[in-house]
Amino acid sequence: MKIAVLSTNKNLYSTQRLVEAALKRGHECVVIDHRQCYVGIKQGEPSIHYKGQDISNIDAIIPRIGASVTFYGSAIVRQFEIMGVVSTNASQAITRSRDKLRCMQILSGAGIGMPITGFARQTKDVDDLIKMVGGAPLVIKLLEGTQGIGVVLAETRKAASSVIEAFYGLGNNILIQEYIKESRGSDIRVLIVDGRVVGAMKRTAKEGEFRSNLHRGGSAVIIKLTKLERETALKAAAELGLTVCGVDMLQSDRGPLVLEVNSSPGLEGIEKATGKDIALTIIEFLEKKHMAKAQPKERKKKSKVGQTL
């Protein structure tokens, strides 16, 4: 296959590992900055160009779409889909998971455990919103934030009210969530590929920090999931339609609680914690999807030959 990794930085660990794994399996692999792609929309002839070149000969893509370019990146993935190119994740699933509010609403409707979450737009609703999530301490999150950026722990009601009003004053959309104190600054990242758990790690925040993201100095160790944790992660991925993702959960007194589902999970932390070649697993999944797409065409050709004999 000719595989394209859609990434804005070819030097990122995850991007490099995916390219290495693809080459190891005998495929041609290129890194394409999706921000520099542009599409042609014509009846029966969709096309994609990159730096002046038609790249319609791509067989499969691995989207690594950053939060800041979700809209444009998803549009590029969708154009590839229209052209019959297989992808590790569907464009609609990417947009579902990237919108934190929409994601939580979908998971809530599916009965999946999560921290109590509130969403509003006006400052007059702040007091009731704080009450809705169980009062302070509570967590305030920017809808567009990633890697722990835009996440604030408000330890008192007064502090929570001030931070929420400040975010509203700046025109930001935010989520307010209950603080799960028994998680003690740790969470679980579960890596899922094709409906299977292929790796899991427990991340712990550095001292004085409540965010456990590795980008914020947290540490990670391999973990054995409970049956309920495994089932919860798999159900969350399935409800969003993601076939490659990282599910972040908190361990609480009432069971696993899903924080977020990431459609472009980083591979460095999970590969180093588990010692597994996750990148290779993703490439093998892409091979499977491409083969499944090709088989119906082969059967159709044989059927037509049979009709002419």
PDB file of all heavy atoms in Angstrom, residues 89 97 188-193 199 203 233 237 240 242-249 258 260-266:
ATOM      1  N   ASN A  89      -9.355   5.995  11.257  1.00  0.00           N
ATOM      2  CA  ASN A  89     -10.561   6.525  11.883  1.00  0.00           C
ATOM      3  C   ASN A  89     -11.389   7.300  10.874  1.00  0.00           C
ATOM      4  O   ASN A  89     -10.838   7.984  10.005  1.00  0.00           O
ATOM      5  CB  ASN A  89     -10.213   7.464  13.053  1.00  0.00           C
ATOM      6  CG  ASN A  89      -9.932   6.725  14.342  1.00  0.00           C
ATOM      7  OD1 ASN A  89     -10.598   5.749  14.683  1.00  0.00           O
ATOM      8  ND2 ASN A  89      -8.932   7.191  15.083  1.00  0.00           N
ATOM      9  N   SER A  97     -15.385  12.885  18.783  1.00  0.00           N
ATOM     10  CA  SER A  97     -14.525  12.773  19.962  1.00  0.00           C
ATOM     11  C   SER A  97     -13.830  14.086  20.293  1.00  0.00           C
ATOM     12  O   SER A  97     -13.584  14.379  21.466  1.00  0.00           O
ATOM     13  CB  SER A  97     -13.470  11.680  19.740  1.00  0.00           C
ATOM     14  OG  SER A  97     -12.616  12.015  18.662  1.00  0.00           O
ATOM     15  N   ILE A 188      -6.077   6.448  33.931  1.00  0.00           N
ATOM     16  CA  ILE A 188      -5.703   5.297  33.110  1.00  0.00           C
ATOM     17  C   ILE A 188      -5.862   5.673  31.643  1.00  0.00           C
ATOM     18  O   ILE A 188      -6.867   6.267  31.253  1.00  0.00           O
ATOM     19  CB  ILE A 188      -6.615   4.084  33.411  1.00  0.00           C
ATOM     20  CG1 ILE A 188      -6.457   3.628  34.862  1.00  0.00           C
ATOM     21  CG2 ILE A 188      -6.307   2.922  32.469  1.00  0.00           C
ATOM     22  CD1 ILE A 188      -7.471   2.576  35.262  1.00  0.00           C
ATOM     23  N   ARG A 189      -4.856   5.356  30.845  1.00  0.00           N
ATOM     24  CA  ARG A 189      -4.970   5.510  29.384  1.00  0.00           C
ATOM     25  C   ARG A 189      -5.040   4.109  28.788  1.00  0.00           C
ATOM     26  O   ARG A 189      -4.148   3.282  28.993  1.00  0.00           O
ATOM     27  CB  ARG A 189      -3.773   6.278  28.837  1.00  0.00           C
ATOM     28  CG  ARG A 189      -3.498   6.138  27.336  1.00  0.00           C
ATOM     29  CD  ARG A 189      -4.615   6.636  26.421  1.00  0.00           C
ATOM     30  NE  ARG A 189      -4.871   8.050  26.498  1.00  0.00           N
ATOM     31  CZ  ARG A 189      -4.275   8.971  25.735  1.00  0.00           C
ATOM     32  NH1 ARG A 189      -3.345   8.616  24.873  1.00  0.00           N
ATOM     33  NH2 ARG A 189      -4.619  10.246  25.854  1.00  0.00           N
ATOM     34  N   VAL A 190      -6.123   3.845  28.054  1.00  0.00           N
ATOM     35  CA  VAL A 190      -6.323   2.554  27.396  1.00  0.00           C
ATOM     36  C   VAL A 190      -6.232   2.769  25.887  1.00  0.00           C
ATOM     37  O   VAL A 190      -6.957   3.594  25.332  1.00  0.00           O
ATOM     38  CB  VAL A 190      -7.692   1.942  27.759  1.00  0.00           C
ATOM     39  CG1 VAL A 190      -7.848   0.568  27.117  1.00  0.00           C
ATOM     40  CG2 VAL A 190      -7.869   1.854  29.270  1.00  0.00           C
ATOM     41  N   LEU A 191      -5.329   2.050  25.238  1.00  0.00           N
ATOM     42  CA  LEU A 191      -5.147   2.169  23.799  1.00  0.00           C
ATOM     43  C   LEU A 191      -5.935   1.064  23.109  1.00  0.00           C
ATOM     44  O   LEU A 191      -5.730  -0.124  23.386  1.00  0.00           O
ATOM     45  CB  LEU A 191      -3.660   2.074  23.452  1.00  0.00           C
ATOM     46  CG  LEU A 191      -3.132   2.870  22.250  1.00  0.00           C
ATOM     47  CD1 LEU A 191      -3.757   2.455  20.944  1.00  0.00           C
ATOM     48  CD2 LEU A 191      -3.263   4.358  22.479  1.00  0.00           C
ATOM     49  N   ILE A 192      -6.835   1.470  22.214  1.00  0.00           N
ATOM     50  CA  ILE A 192      -7.707   0.520  21.520  1.00  0.00           C
ATOM     51  C   ILE A 192      -7.445   0.554  20.021  1.00  0.00           C
ATOM     52  O   ILE A 192      -7.339   1.635  19.423  1.00  0.00           O
ATOM     53  CB  ILE A 192      -9.189   0.839  21.812  1.00  0.00           C
ATOM     54  CG1 ILE A 192      -9.494   0.583  23.286  1.00  0.00           C
ATOM     55  CG2 ILE A 192     -10.126   0.026  20.917  1.00  0.00           C
ATOM     56  CD1 ILE A 192     -10.857   1.054  23.730  1.00  0.00           C
ATOM     57  N   VAL A 193      -7.326  -0.622  19.430  1.00  0.00           N
ATOM     58  CA  VAL A 193      -7.173  -0.754  17.980  1.00  0.00           C
ATOM     59  C   VAL A 193      -8.120  -1.853  17.512  1.00  0.00           C
ATOM     60  O   VAL A 193      -8.051  -2.991  17.991  1.00  0.00           O
ATOM     61  CB  VAL A 193      -5.718  -1.110  17.573  1.00  0.00           C
ATOM     62  CG1 VAL A 193      -5.617  -1.302  16.059  1.00  0.00           C
ATOM     63  CG2 VAL A 193      -4.749  -0.031  18.041  1.00  0.00           C
ATOM     64  N   GLY A 199      -3.058  -2.025  24.817  1.00  0.00           N
ATOM     65  CA  GLY A 199      -2.128  -1.512  25.813  1.00  0.00           C
ATOM     66  C   GLY A 199      -2.860  -0.651  26.825  1.00  0.00           C
ATOM     67  O   GLY A 199      -3.878  -0.035  26.502  1.00  0.00           O
ATOM     68  N   ARG A 203      -1.235   6.670  34.592  1.00  0.00           N
ATOM     69  CA  ARG A 203      -0.440   7.895  34.604  1.00  0.00           C
ATOM     70  C   ARG A 203      -0.656   8.616  35.935  1.00  0.00           C
ATOM     71  O   ARG A 203      -1.795   8.733  36.401  1.00  0.00           O
ATOM     72  CB  ARG A 203      -0.841   8.806  33.443  1.00  0.00           C
ATOM     73  CG  ARG A 203      -0.735   8.133  32.086  1.00  0.00           C
ATOM     74  CD  ARG A 203      -1.117   9.054  30.959  1.00  0.00           C
ATOM     75  NE  ARG A 203      -2.511   9.487  31.021  1.00  0.00           N
ATOM     76  CZ  ARG A 203      -3.130  10.135  30.043  1.00  0.00           C
ATOM     77  NH1 ARG A 203      -2.477  10.430  28.935  1.00  0.00           N
ATOM     78  NH2 ARG A 203      -4.394  10.492  30.170  1.00  0.00           N
ATOM     79  N   ALA A 233     -13.911   1.023  28.464  1.00  0.00           N
ATOM     80  CA  ALA A 233     -13.074   1.628  27.417  1.00  0.00           C
ATOM     81  C   ALA A 233     -13.538   1.192  26.026  1.00  0.00           C
ATOM     82  O   ALA A 233     -13.661   2.020  25.110  1.00  0.00           O
ATOM     83  CB  ALA A 233     -11.614   1.249  27.631  1.00  0.00           C
ATOM     84  N   ALA A 237     -15.214   3.687  22.997  1.00  0.00           N
ATOM     85  CA  ALA A 237     -14.676   3.770  21.638  1.00  0.00           C
ATOM     86  C   ALA A 237     -15.743   3.402  20.612  1.00  0.00           C
ATOM     87  O   ALA A 237     -15.894   4.078  19.584  1.00  0.00           O
ATOM     88  CB  ALA A 237     -13.471   2.838  21.504  1.00  0.00           C
ATOM     89  N   LEU A 240     -18.475   6.080  19.975  1.00  0.00           N
ATOM     90  CA  LEU A 240     -18.004   7.216  19.188  1.00  0.00           C
ATOM     91  C   LEU A 240     -17.613   6.814  17.770  1.00  0.00           C
ATOM     92  O   LEU A 240     -17.362   7.673  16.928  1.00  0.00           O
ATOM     93  CB  LEU A 240     -16.817   7.877  19.882  1.00  0.00           C
ATOM     94  CG  LEU A 240     -17.141   8.536  21.231  1.00  0.00           C
ATOM     95  CD1 LEU A 240     -15.857   8.941  21.942  1.00  0.00           C
ATOM     96  CD2 LEU A 240     -18.046   9.740  21.044  1.00  0.00           C
ATOM     97  N   LEU A 242     -14.882   5.126  16.949  1.00  0.00           N
ATOM     98  CA  LEU A 242     -13.426   5.178  16.772  1.00  0.00           C
ATOM     99  C   LEU A 242     -12.835   3.771  16.768  1.00  0.00           C
ATOM    100  O   LEU A 242     -13.134   2.971  17.649  1.00  0.00           O
ATOM    101  CB  LEU A 242     -12.784   5.996  17.885  1.00  0.00           C
ATOM    102  CG  LEU A 242     -13.046   7.506  17.842  1.00  0.00           C
ATOM    103  CD1 LEU A 242     -12.599   8.156  19.144  1.00  0.00           C
ATOM    104  CD2 LEU A 242     -12.334   8.151  16.659  1.00  0.00           C
ATOM    105  N   THR A 243     -11.979   3.487  15.796  1.00  0.00           N
ATOM    106  CA  THR A 243     -11.331   2.180  15.723  1.00  0.00           C
ATOM    107  C   THR A 243      -9.875   2.220  16.187  1.00  0.00           C
ATOM    108  O   THR A 243      -9.282   1.182  16.449  1.00  0.00           O
ATOM    109  CB  THR A 243     -11.412   1.624  14.285  1.00  0.00           C
ATOM    110  OG1 THR A 243     -11.124   2.659  13.349  1.00  0.00           O
ATOM    111  CG2 THR A 243     -12.804   1.080  14.001  1.00  0.00           C
ATOM    112  N   VAL A 244      -9.306   3.423  16.271  1.00  0.00           N
ATOM    113  CA  VAL A 244      -7.996   3.617  16.893  1.00  0.00           C
ATOM    114  C   VAL A 244      -8.125   4.816  17.824  1.00  0.00           C
ATOM    115  O   VAL A 244      -8.439   5.921  17.375  1.00  0.00           O
ATOM    116  CB  VAL A 244      -6.880   3.888  15.857  1.00  0.00           C
ATOM    117  CG1 VAL A 244      -5.576   4.237  16.555  1.00  0.00           C
ATOM    118  CG2 VAL A 244      -6.685   2.683  14.948  1.00  0.00           C
ATOM    119  N   CYS A 245      -7.915   4.606  19.116  1.00  0.00           N
ATOM    120  CA  CYS A 245      -8.091   5.723  20.053  1.00  0.00           C
ATOM    121  C   CYS A 245      -7.473   5.423  21.406  1.00  0.00           C
ATOM    122  O   CYS A 245      -7.128   4.281  21.719  1.00  0.00           O
ATOM    123  CB  CYS A 245      -9.581   6.049  20.237  1.00  0.00           C
ATOM    124  SG  CYS A 245     -10.535   4.729  21.004  1.00  0.00           S
ATOM    125  N   GLY A 246      -7.355   6.465  22.199  1.00  0.00           N
ATOM    126  CA  GLY A 246      -6.942   6.338  23.584  1.00  0.00           C
ATOM    127  C   GLY A 246      -8.089   6.778  24.472  1.00  0.00           C
ATOM    128  O   GLY A 246      -8.618   7.873  24.297  1.00  0.00           O
ATOM    129  N   VAL A 247      -8.500   5.923  25.390  1.00  0.00           N
ATOM    130  CA  VAL A 247      -9.594   6.249  26.310  1.00  0.00           C
ATOM    131  C   VAL A 247      -8.986   6.561  27.673  1.00  0.00           C
ATOM    132  O   VAL A 247      -8.279   5.731  28.246  1.00  0.00           O
ATOM    133  CB  VAL A 247     -10.605   5.087  26.428  1.00  0.00           C
ATOM    134  CG1 VAL A 247     -11.746   5.460  27.385  1.00  0.00           C
ATOM    135  CG2 VAL A 247     -11.163   4.711  25.058  1.00  0.00           C
ATOM    136  N   ASP A 248      -9.265   7.763  28.181  1.00  0.00           N
ATOM    137  CA  ASP A 248      -8.748   8.181  29.482  1.00  0.00           C
ATOM    138  C   ASP A 248      -9.842   8.022  30.530  1.00  0.00           C
ATOM    139  O   ASP A 248     -10.953   8.543  30.357  1.00  0.00           O
ATOM    140  CB  ASP A 248      -8.281   9.633  29.435  1.00  0.00           C
ATOM    141  CG  ASP A 248      -7.109   9.832  28.493  1.00  0.00           C
ATOM    142  OD1 ASP A 248      -6.427   8.838  28.181  1.00  0.00           O
ATOM    143  OD2 ASP A 248      -6.879  10.976  28.061  1.00  0.00           O
ATOM    144  N   MET A 249      -9.517   7.324  31.622  1.00  0.00           N
ATOM    145  CA  MET A 249     -10.494   7.053  32.669  1.00  0.00           C
ATOM    146  C   MET A 249      -9.901   7.303  34.046  1.00  0.00           C
ATOM    147  O   MET A 249      -8.696   7.172  34.248  1.00  0.00           O
ATOM    148  CB  MET A 249     -10.969   5.592  32.602  1.00  0.00           C
ATOM    149  CG  MET A 249     -11.594   5.186  31.288  1.00  0.00           C
ATOM    150  SD  MET A 249     -12.264   3.506  31.335  1.00  0.00           S
ATOM    151  CE  MET A 249     -10.760   2.549  31.522  1.00  0.00           C
ATOM    152  N   VAL A 258     -15.060   7.779  32.485  1.00  0.00           N
ATOM    153  CA  VAL A 258     -14.382   8.245  31.273  1.00  0.00           C
ATOM    154  C   VAL A 258     -14.226   9.763  31.294  1.00  0.00           C
ATOM    155  O   VAL A 258     -15.187  10.498  31.499  1.00  0.00           O
ATOM    156  CB  VAL A 258     -15.146   7.816  30.010  1.00  0.00           C
ATOM    157  CG1 VAL A 258     -14.485   8.405  28.759  1.00  0.00           C
ATOM    158  CG2 VAL A 258     -15.200   6.299  29.906  1.00  0.00           C
ATOM    159  N   GLU A 260     -12.124  11.362  28.709  1.00  0.00           N
ATOM    160  CA  GLU A 260     -11.920  11.821  27.337  1.00  0.00           C
ATOM    161  C   GLU A 260     -11.591  10.626  26.448  1.00  0.00           C
ATOM    162  O   GLU A 260     -11.063   9.621  26.921  1.00  0.00           O
ATOM    163  CB  GLU A 260     -10.760  12.825  27.308  1.00  0.00           C
ATOM    164  CG  GLU A 260     -10.540  13.516  25.984  1.00  0.00           C
ATOM    165  CD  GLU A 260      -9.444  14.575  26.060  1.00  0.00           C
ATOM    166  OE1 GLU A 260      -8.913  14.821  27.157  1.00  0.00           O
ATOM    167  OE2 GLU A 260      -9.123  15.142  25.003  1.00  0.00           O
ATOM    168  N   VAL A 261     -11.914  10.755  25.171  1.00  0.00           N
ATOM    169  CA  VAL A 261     -11.526   9.739  24.188  1.00  0.00           C
ATOM    170  C   VAL A 261     -10.751  10.458  23.087  1.00  0.00           C
ATOM    171  O   VAL A 261     -11.278  11.359  22.438  1.00  0.00           O
ATOM    172  CB  VAL A 261     -12.754   9.002  23.612  1.00  0.00           C
ATOM    173  CG1 VAL A 261     -12.291   7.879  22.676  1.00  0.00           C
ATOM    174  CG2 VAL A 261     -13.626   8.437  24.730  1.00  0.00           C
ATOM    175  N   ASN A 262      -9.509  10.066  22.901  1.00  0.00           N
ATOM    176  CA  ASN A 262      -8.595  10.763  22.007  1.00  0.00           C
ATOM    177  C   ASN A 262      -8.434  10.001  20.692  1.00  0.00           C
ATOM    178  O   ASN A 262      -7.975   8.856  20.685  1.00  0.00           O
ATOM    179  CB  ASN A 262      -7.235  10.918  22.712  1.00  0.00           C
ATOM    180  CG  ASN A 262      -6.312  11.880  22.002  1.00  0.00           C
ATOM    181  OD1 ASN A 262      -6.343  11.990  20.783  1.00  0.00           O
ATOM    182  ND2 ASN A 262      -5.480  12.568  22.757  1.00  0.00           N
ATOM    183  N   SER A 263      -8.781  10.645  19.589  1.00  0.00           N
ATOM    184  CA  SER A 263      -8.704   9.991  18.276  1.00  0.00           C
ATOM    185  C   SER A 263      -7.289   9.981  17.698  1.00  0.00           C
ATOM    186  O   SER A 263      -7.026   9.282  16.714  1.00  0.00           O
ATOM    187  CB  SER A 263      -9.653  10.686  17.286  1.00  0.00           C
ATOM    188  OG  SER A 263      -9.296  12.053  17.132  1.00  0.00           O
ATOM    189  N   SER A 264      -6.378  10.758  18.297  1.00  0.00           N
ATOM    190  CA  SER A 264      -4.969  10.766  17.863  1.00  0.00           C
ATOM    191  C   SER A 264      -4.069  10.565  19.077  1.00  0.00           C
ATOM    192  O   SER A 264      -3.299  11.453  19.456  1.00  0.00           O
ATOM    193  CB  SER A 264      -4.625  12.087  17.168  1.00  0.00           C
ATOM    194  OG  SER A 264      -5.408  12.291  16.021  1.00  0.00           O
ATOM    195  N   PRO A 265      -4.152   9.404  19.707  1.00  0.00           N
ATOM    196  CA  PRO A 265      -3.387   9.188  20.941  1.00  0.00           C
ATOM    197  C   PRO A 265      -1.885   9.120  20.674  1.00  0.00           C
ATOM    198  O   PRO A 265      -1.436   8.547  19.688  1.00  0.00           O
ATOM    199  CB  PRO A 265      -3.903   7.832  21.443  1.00  0.00           C
ATOM    200  CG  PRO A 265      -4.335   7.119  20.190  1.00  0.00           C
ATOM    201  CD  PRO A 265      -4.894   8.193  19.303  1.00  0.00           C
ATOM    202  N   GLY A 266      -1.110   9.728  21.571  1.00  0.00           N
ATOM    203  CA  GLY A 266       0.340   9.641  21.465  1.00  0.00           C
ATOM    204  C   GLY A 266       0.812   8.218  21.733  1.00  0.00           C
ATOM    205  O   GLY A 266       0.220   7.503  22.545  1.00  0.00           O
TER     206      GLY A 266
END
